[in-house]
Structure formats: structure tokens, C-alpha cells
Amino acid sequence: MDTNYLQLFVDETSFTNRMVLGTLLPAKIWEPLPHFFQTWLRNYTSGTLVYFITSLLWSFYVYFYKHNVYVPKDAIPSRKAVLLQIYVAMKAMPWYCALPTISEYMVENGWTRCFPRISDVGWFSYVLNLGFYLVLVEFGIYWMHRELHDIKPLYKYLHATHHIYNKQNTLSPFAGLAFHPLDGILQAVPHVIALFLVPMHFTTHIGLLFIEAIWTANIHDCVDGKMWPVMGAGYHTIHHTTYRHNYGHYTVWMDWMFGTLRDPCEEENKKI
């Protein structure tokens, strides 16, 4: 791949590093760092901010502003549960941020099928390839998540860290990133693998990785948005209580195809 073309990726990441780190940190902390570590620090600071802002706002809305509307009082997670979730998430955050940093390094070196500008391929191709990319990611995350349950050592040593939150009063938006570091990375790896298979807009790829933090906060709040075919919190709460259903990420399609779907509406009807 042409060196000048690859420089477009480097210029973009350098601009983003300056914009984020220049706003949040003194220059003497980040400017002396090599480009790779500047990128990691940018991912770490912005990832931490996204985690806390998203989780705090969503918790305030669900537990206080809409008090007793979406979640009954006895289902609100305790302060102890939330603090534990924050501790687990923040312990893992430096490792999580290694994945987008490495993916950006691979893109900058021309090892993937990323392109820097939508004009390079046109809007039709961009949308078509984005669709393929999302299908591959959905398929990959479904099977990665399912194997983290089915392969006993993976569950015992990795995924069980997340599944201690198995009741409505222990789940909260802060649980969205409360994983063993390797577990969290494995479930995000399909985003990176897809870069080698489908032409993908670089900025869209990075944006989708950070949308993960927002999405995972949303699906751990136990509020069923009832927006079929979205794999929302109603489905994911069932996953945390049965352990054998609703492994999907954004949609219900993979669970439907592979026979692991359980609908929250059907569960409510059974209770009635």
C-alpha cells in the first residue's frame, strides 16, 4: 500500500490524539510519548470518560429520575455492588484499551482492509461493507460469548467474573465493562478480525469500538426497551439469570438462528 495513503491513517490518529489528550492532560505528560503510547493513553482516557459518563447518566435516569417507573425499589443495585463493578471495570480498562490501540497500529501499517475516507469507495460501497462488517461482528461475538460459557475453563477463569451479577438487584450500567480483562478483549476481537475480511472505514471502526461501552451499559440496566429485533436489556437480563440463552450482541438474529433465543415477553406471560 502506498506510503502517502498510509500516512492519512497516521495523520488522523495523531489529530485525534492531540484533540483528546490536549484537552484532558498537560502536554508534558503525553507529548514526549511515542505515537503508539499516545494512542493507548487517548483510548484509556476517553474510554474511562465514556464509561463513567454513560453509566452515571443512565443510572441517574433509571434509578432516580424515573424512580420506581422502570425498576422497583428492591431491584436497585446496592452501592457495594456498583462499587465492585467499577473496581473490576477500572482494573481491566488499561488492558481493554490495548485492543483498539493495536488495531490502529495494524491499520496504520496497511495490514487491514481499512480505508481512510468514504470518498475512496463511495457511499453505496461504504454502507454495503458496513452491513457486512456488522454481520461478521455479530456472528463473531455470538460464538465467542457462547464458547466462553460452553468451554468450562474459559467460563471458570474468565467469564464467571462477569456472571457474579446474576440477579436484577446486582445488575447495573456499571456492570457493562466489569469483565476479566481477557474476557472483555476476546468479546471485542471480532471487531478487529473483520477488518481483515471486509473493507471498512477507519473512523467508523474506532467509533463502533467506543459505542460498545455505551451499548453494554444500556443492556445491563434491566430495563426492557422492547425494540425488536434489538438484543436489549430485557434479553440480556435473561442471559444473566439462565446462563444458556441470549448470547447475541446487538440483535436477536444469531440466537434465533442457533436456537438459544428466549424472549422476555414470553417470560412475562409465563409469570402471569
Side-chain angles (χ1 to χ4, degrees), residues 112-241:
T112 71
R113 301 189 68 186
C114 269
F115 53 89
R117 302 164 299 202
I118 295 175
S119 59
D120 292 339
V121 298
W123 278 99
F124 178 79
S125 180
Y126 166 76
V127 172
L128 187 66
N129 284 315
L130 176 60
F132 287 140
Y133 174 90
L134 290 173
V135 170
L136 283 172
V137 167
E138 188 79 14
F139 178 84
I141 292 177
Y142 172 87
W143 279 107
M144 186 67 75
H145 190 183
R146 185 166 173 175
E147 293 310 306
L148 282 161
H149 280 265
D150 290 349
I151 300 174
K152 299 307 178 185
L154 290 181
Y155 183 82
K156 181 179 179 180
Y157 295 109
L158 298 182
H159 201 51
T161 299
H162 184 65
H163 269 276
I164 63 171
Y165 316 112
N166 58 5
K167 297 180 179 65
Q168 193 173 20
N169 63 357
T170 61
L171 286 165
S172 83
F174 289 97
L177 293 180
F179 291 89
H180 184 286
L182 185 55
D183 182 2
I185 289 169
L186 285 172
Q187 293 198 61
V189 156
H191 277 280
V192 179
I193 293 174
L195 296 181
F196 294 90
L197 304 174
V198 179
M200 182 61 182
H201 182 232
F202 178 49
T203 306
T204 303
H205 161 68
I206 297 301
L208 285 170
L209 282 176
F210 278 90
I211 287 172
E212 291 289 318
I214 299 171
W215 181 247
T216 55
N218 176 266
I219 63 174
H220 287 88
D221 62 14
C222 300
V223 179
D224 186 4
K226 297 180 181 179
M227 294 177 61
W228 186 91
V230 174
M231 178 66 75
Y235 289 94
H236 199 69
T237 301
I238 291 173
H239 172 73
H240 271 265
T241 55

Side-chain angles (χ1 to χ4, degrees), residues 27-39:
K28 63 182 180 182
I29 293 177
W30 63 272
E31 282 189 345
L33 296 174
H35 177 73
F36 181 86
F37 291 103
Q38 285 187 13
T39 301

Side-chain angles (χ1 to χ4, degrees), residues 73-91:
K73 187 176 180 180
D74 60 356
I76 295 176
S78 68
R79 183 179 299 179
K80 181 180 179 181
V82 170
L83 289 175
L84 177 61
Q85 291 161 12
I86 293 171
Y87 170 75
V88 173
M90 293 314 300
K91 191 168 67 170

